[in-house]
Amino acid sequence: EDQVTQSPEALRLQEGESSSLNCSYTVSGLRGLFWYRQDPGKGPEFLFTLYSAGEEKEKERLKATLTKKESFLHITAPKPEDSATYLCAVEVNFNKFYFGSGTKLNVKP
Amino acid sequence: NAGVTQTPKFRVLKTGQSMTLLCAQDMNHEYMYWYRQDPGMGLRLIHYSVGEGTTAKGEVPDGYNVSRLKKQNFLLGLESAAPSQTSVYFCASSSGTENTGELFFGEGSRLTVL
């Protein structure tokens, strides 16, 4: 059975305190792994796509990496505006996506 | 640029009532999706469509029906609402082009079934 698990469920950081979020997956035939950001009361917003093990993508303070079994979203020197829920999703059939339950990040000033 | 628009944003139903959620996208996307989001369970796919006139079941299709009569619209119907259908519903679309995969989401429709 295809599964996507994110950890931790919630993470509290002080401003400037770097950390990583984890997304582990057990799927047959991974086509791509995606990271989204979701603010309260809003729909998810696309951040990154990763297609193969070893691939990395960066955007401002965020960097996503991919191995054969998991992906990490590294947050370097976070700011309060980085507070949000971060969702991981995998594409296992063409244009069919399965989501993890998310990590709720709170960055305190 | 509207992107993906969902109506209504909020609705309260009584058990057994019916309703339809409307999703409209202005990006000429082929693929459209309906997800529900519940605390601790992430986004779960209800139904999806790979083009005008087509629909397919996702992970949790029971109790829902969908229609895609026009390319830009994807409707989600509840024929007889149940309290278990209390959730936040998200519509999404994608171009369907290989190796893009990005989903564009609406802002959600919060449904409460009493």
Side-chain angles (χ1 to χ4, degrees), chain A residues 31 34 36 38 41-46 49 51 87 91 94-102, chain B residues 31 33 35 37 40-43 45 48 59 90 94 96 98-103 105-107:
Chain A
R31 293 182 58 89
F34 304 82
Y36 288 82
Q38 186 175 22
K42 302 287 186 182
E45 278 189 32
F46 172 78
T49 308
Y51 288 108
L87 300 172
E91 183 184 8
F94 185 49
N95 268 271
K96 198 170 175 185
F97 304 88
Y98 294 97
F99 282 80
S101 54
Chain B
Y31 285 65
Y33 309 80
Y35 287 89
Q37 188 173 40
M41 301 195 73
L43 286 157
L45 182 63
Y48 64 103
E59 303 169 78
F90 286 98
S94 72
E98 192 160 349
N99 288 346
T100 59
E102 177 183 350
L103 291 174
F105 284 86
E107 298 221 323

